Amino acid sequence: VHVIAHRGASGYLPEHSLVAKALAHGQGADFLEQDVVATRDGALIVCHDTWLDAVTDVAVRFPGRARADGRNYAIDFTLAEVRTLRLLERVRPETGDQRFPGRFGRTDGAFGIPTFAEELRFIAGLNRTTGRRVGVYPEIKDPGWHRAHGIELAGRVLAELAEHWPGDGGAFVQCFDGGELRRLAESRPPWPLVQLVDGSAGAGAAAALVAGSAAYAQVVGLDLRLLLCDSGPALVASARAAGLGVHAWTARKDALPPGFPSLDALLDALAGPLAVDGIFTDFPDLAVAWRAGR
Ligand code: CA
């Protein structure tokens, strides 16, 4: 089973910092995830949200730049401006409290948001110096929203992968937007496409999306909520029957689903009865140790 470092070793260091990627690489992850969004001047950066408030000091550094909803969006800032931001441990924007209170200190360390190209070269460099062959796993974030702002994000992500990723560790390209993946598949990209499926839409909608995705994707990335509910085994079986791989997101030792006493117990359930091929985790070291002990 692939161990996929969710936003890097984000259980230990701020998500999507390059040091979190380096730690995950050293901890033995097989793939390192990138969430990709665009800036106003069209640079691709690695950030989970299309807005910057939950993981940076943007509101303090650039007062008055928020939209009506109170958020500061990456697409409203130039790359030069983004480079001045301090990347911080994630907070809940409503309260300012850390999303995961036991994790890296909000004010510890000094990190910045990397560009997608910088990160690809960084990981390629680590692969060269360590001799490991770790892959990348970029997500095209909200392509419809980017298109509405004049940026064809999916095409740009594939172009930067082609330019900056030597490919020795492989890559998966993921997106929630099935229509976007369907269009991407028409250009026959060299990397497998992953249809992400969120649990909030319900089991019926998830089953329909999984069934339809075999026409353009090679893998489905399933929310734990879908895998661990009563219909989870049937959903995995239908994906298998359609020839799809199954990756699960996200295993966290500090946010375990109900009924699981430990991360190992969760990983056992995912890899045992459900037999997934890949697991996203914030704690790659623990998943690698668990895998070694199976
Ligand atoms: Ca993601």
Side-chain angles (χ1 to χ4, degrees):
V1 56
H2 294 312
V3 172
I4 305 154
H6 181 247
R7 312 180 197 170
S10 56
Y12 302 100
L13 285 161
E15 65 181 55
H16 288 318
S17 59
L18 287 184
V19 286
K21 302 299 163 70
L23 185 60
H25 193 286
Q27 288 179 336
D30 304 304
F31 289 87
L32 308 180
E33 189 202 23
Q34 297 76 37
D35 292 303
V36 183
V37 303
T39 64
R40 187 169 73 196
D41 46 347
L44 303 192
I45 60 173
V46 181
C47 184
H48 176 265
D49 308 320
T50 52
W51 42 286
L52 300 162
D53 302 80
V55 293
T56 75
D57 58 351
V58 65
V60 175
R61 196 169 290 269
F62 293 99
R65 297 276 294 272
R67 294 195 182 192
D69 62 4
R71 290 177 172 172
N72 289 280
Y73 286 85
I75 200 84
D76 295 332
F77 292 82
T78 64
L79 177 60
E81 288 172 333
V82 167
R83 286 198 188 282
T84 69
L85 300 177
R86 191 168 177 198
L87 177 62
L88 302 162
E89 184 68 25
R90 172 172 290 272
V91 295
R92 298 181 189 277
E94 321 82 64
T95 62
D97 298 330
Q98 266 192 225
R99 170 72 179 79
F100 298 98
R103 294 192 180 181
F104 199 81
R106 177 80 172 158
T107 56
D108 297 340
F111 314 105
I113 293 179
T115 68
F116 183 45
E118 286 165 351
E119 175 156 339
L120 293 174
R121 292 196 299 267
F122 178 80
I123 296 167
L126 277 172
N127 279 353
R128 278 196 302 277
T129 53
T130 63
R132 297 193 63 230
R133 294 165 66 87
V134 176
V136 295
Y137 206 127
E139 179 180 348
I140 301 157
K141 301 297 290 194
D142 217 336
W145 190 85
H146 279 95
R147 181 168 295 120
H149 289 82
I151 292 177
E152 291 296 324
L153 186 62
R156 292 285 317 281
V157 167
L158 261 65
E160 292 209 356
L161 260 183
E163 182 177 356
H164 297 288
W165 183 241
D168 53 349
F172 289 94
V173 175
Q174 51 172 337
C175 191
F176 280 104
D177 186 329
E180 196 69 33
L181 287 175
R182 192 182 287 275
R183 280 189 291 279
L184 267 188
E186 288 170 3
S187 66
R188 301 194 175 279
W191 303 285
L193 301 179
V194 180
Q195 172 70 61
L196 296 172
V197 187
D198 186 83
S200 58
L209 184 53
V210 167
S213 66
Y216 53 85
Q218 287 71 47
V219 175
V220 284
L222 302 181
D223 190 336
L224 286 186
R225 289 177 289 178
L226 294 168
L227 286 162
L228 300 176
C229 71
D230 290 345
S231 55
L235 188 64
V236 172
S238 73
R240 296 274 178 227
L244 292 160
V246 178
H247 294 176
W249 50 272
T250 300
R252 300 178 170 106
K253 77 168 181 184
D254 51 1
L256 289 164
F260 290 92
S262 68
L263 185 67
D264 279 5
L266 172 60
L267 298 174
D268 282 340
L270 293 172
L274 290 163
V276 304
D277 313 291
I279 299 174
F280 283 85
T281 181
D282 295 359
F283 299 89
D285 58 332
L286 302 182
V288 167
W290 159 83
R291 183 172 62 184
R294 291 186 78 207

